[in-house]
Amino acid sequence: MKVLVTGGAGYIGSITATALQQAGHTPVLLDSLVNGEQAFTEGRIFYQGDIADRPLLRRIVAEHPEIEACVHMAALTIVPDSIARPYAYYQNNVAKSLELFDEITRLGCTRLLFSSSAAVYGPAPDFEVYEDHLLAPSSPYGRTKLMIEQMLADLAASTDLRAVVLRYFNPIGSDPQLRSGVYAGIPSHVLGQLVRTVLGEQDTFTLTGTDLPTRDGTGLRDYVHVWDLARAHVRALERFDAALEAADSEHLVLNVGTGQGVTVRELHAAVERVSGVSVPVVTAPPRPGDAVGAFANVDRAAELLGWRAELSLEDGIASSLAWARQRNQVLKR
Ligand SMILES: NC(=O)c1ccc[n+]([C@@H]2O[C@H](COP(=O)([O-])OP(=O)(O)OC[C@H]3O[C@@H](n4cnc5c(N)ncnc54)[C@H](O)[C@@H]3O)[C@@H](O)[C@H]2O)c1
């Protein structure tokens, strides 16, 4: 199957493209390179441009009329940045997605797989969240994701567009061949910060938030290996129509996580275990917009996609460390 992947030069997009290729499918990448890496597009069908560029979308579909679905990953994604620049986030993520959805529906590309986030959920006292949990994002970034989900539900109800929404929890790691991974020089995510400390790129790991209502006071997350996440996309595309039919709906939301919550202190201990390196910690108050955390109930994805995460937290950490060691070579920096 040929699949349009917006944001295909990004972290998750490029790894999903690898998983699609390995499963015998052909990704067609669309990315503006506002972020992302040109190196991740090498050897692939790639269009550099914006998701809201309607003439470009028409050209892509004219040149690849076999495109059967669109995976929409293009977005601005950094929570603190979204607090500082809400206009950029609402414009890029919400307004431009609306243009994309309208144009691809007109072009007859009516299967849309959307990258949403656990950031759409409100607080969960026992941390486990089902797809019907309270939706109450705590940042402009999370609100853009929720607004896009709502747009998709409305469009699916009244047009030919069909939508499967994947709410990712916290992706970590690289693909098995270490072809792509987190490319930011100084990653803002917690594992990226731990990895930098292991590699000696910084002296200490700053643990933000130690007084939270979790079992050890630190933030809790559901770290899912990005290769498992990429496989979830392949499965969702292959079972797209069947999953919607089984759900008796034009629009479906699925959590994609491991079903396990891990605190920052537990992650820190796991990183020390996997790397064999001691990581000094300093503590600081939580960052604005940071959620206490949650883990996914993943029964719906198991039932409708036949997908479950297979790789462990340790696999994800080892993969992140291996990628960080070879990142500059891949990125030719
Ligand atoms: N990484 C995570 O922790 C995480 C968690 C949950 C959800 N997500 C979602 O997964 C998707 C991919 O995230 P990622 O971590 O790979 O981010 P990323 O920044 O690496 O990839 C996003 C890509 O989208 C491109 N892009 C942004 N706006 C564009 C536009 N208007 N037109 C064309 N291209 C554009 C960027 O250049 C970038 O390559 C995003 O939608 C993100 O919100 C990510």
Side-chain angles (χ1 to χ4, degrees), residues 151-173:
M151 287 180 343
L152 283 171
D154 288 340
L155 290 168
S158 64
T159 72
D160 292 336
L161 192 68
R162 297 291 172 265
V164 174
V165 172
L166 300 183
R167 289 187 185 143
Y168 312 162
F169 279 64
N170 296 81
I172 58 170

Side-chain angles (χ1 to χ4, degrees), residues 25 38 47 53 65 70 78 89 102 109 141-142 144 147 172 190 196 214 231 236 247 255 261 289-290 295 317 330:
H25 305 299
Q38 178 111 39
Y47 292 84
D53 182 342
C70 172
I78 309 295
Y89 276 68
D102 184 61
C109 173
Y141 165 71
T144 68
M147 286 177 190
I172 58 170
V190 59
R196 273 177 61 77
T214 61
R231 285 194 311 99
N255 282 343
D290 269 354
F295 67 89
I317 292 170
V330 177

Side-chain angles (χ1 to χ4, degrees), residues 7 9-13 31-36 49-51 73-75 77 92 96 115-117 141 145 168-169 171 183 189:
Y11 166 47
I12 303 169
D31 199 300
S32 63
L33 296 180
V34 59
N35 291 308
D50 199 280
I51 54 167
M73 298 206 186
T77 67
N92 191 72
K96 289 187 174 182
S115 303
S116 190
S117 167
Y141 165 71
K145 291 285 155 183
Y168 312 162
F169 279 64
Y183 50 84
H189 295 115

Side-chain angles (χ1 to χ4, degrees), residues 148-324:
I148 298 167
E149 287 195 14
Q150 291 167 331
M151 287 180 343
L152 283 171
D154 288 340
L155 290 168
S158 64
T159 72
D160 292 336
L161 192 68
R162 297 291 172 265
V164 174
V165 172
L166 300 183
R167 289 187 185 143
Y168 312 162
F169 279 64
N170 296 81
I172 58 170
S174 175
D175 59 291
Q177 290 85 33
L178 305 178
R179 288 179 55 160
S180 44
V182 173
Y183 50 84
I186 304 186
S188 61
H189 295 115
V190 59
L191 182 58
Q193 288 290 312
L194 284 163
V195 165
R196 273 177 61 77
T197 320
V198 167
L199 298 182
E201 292 170 8
Q202 58 189 36
D203 295 335
T204 52
F205 164 66
T206 305
L207 199 174
T208 51
T210 54
D211 204 12
L212 305 173
T214 61
R215 53 184 171 258
D216 63 14
T218 66
L220 179 139
R221 300 286 183 270
D222 182 337
Y223 296 100
V224 57
H225 198 301
V226 71
W227 188 242
D228 275 330
L229 180 60
R231 285 194 311 99
H233 290 81
V234 175
R235 201 51 83 81
L237 289 165
E238 291 176 347
R239 299 213 180 164
F240 196 95
D241 296 348
L244 286 173
E245 201 172 309
D248 193 21
S249 179
E250 304 86 29
H251 172 260
L252 177 62
V253 178
L254 299 167
N255 282 343
V256 185
T258 64
Q260 304 288 325
V262 174
T263 68
V264 180
R265 285 201 196 283
E266 290 163 355
L267 182 70
H268 170 257
V271 167
E272 289 194 327
R273 222 167 37 243
V274 172
S275 66
V277 173
S278 166
V279 177
V281 176
V282 293
T283 58
R287 297 174 306 177
D290 269 354
V292 174
F295 67 89
N297 176 285
V298 288
D299 293 347
R300 194 184 282 179
E303 183 195 330
L304 294 176
L305 303 184
W307 175 91
R308 270 191 196 278
E310 291 172 0
L311 298 165
S312 67
L313 178 67
E314 286 74 14
D315 291 331
I317 292 170
S319 172
S320 299
L321 283 164
W323 163 256

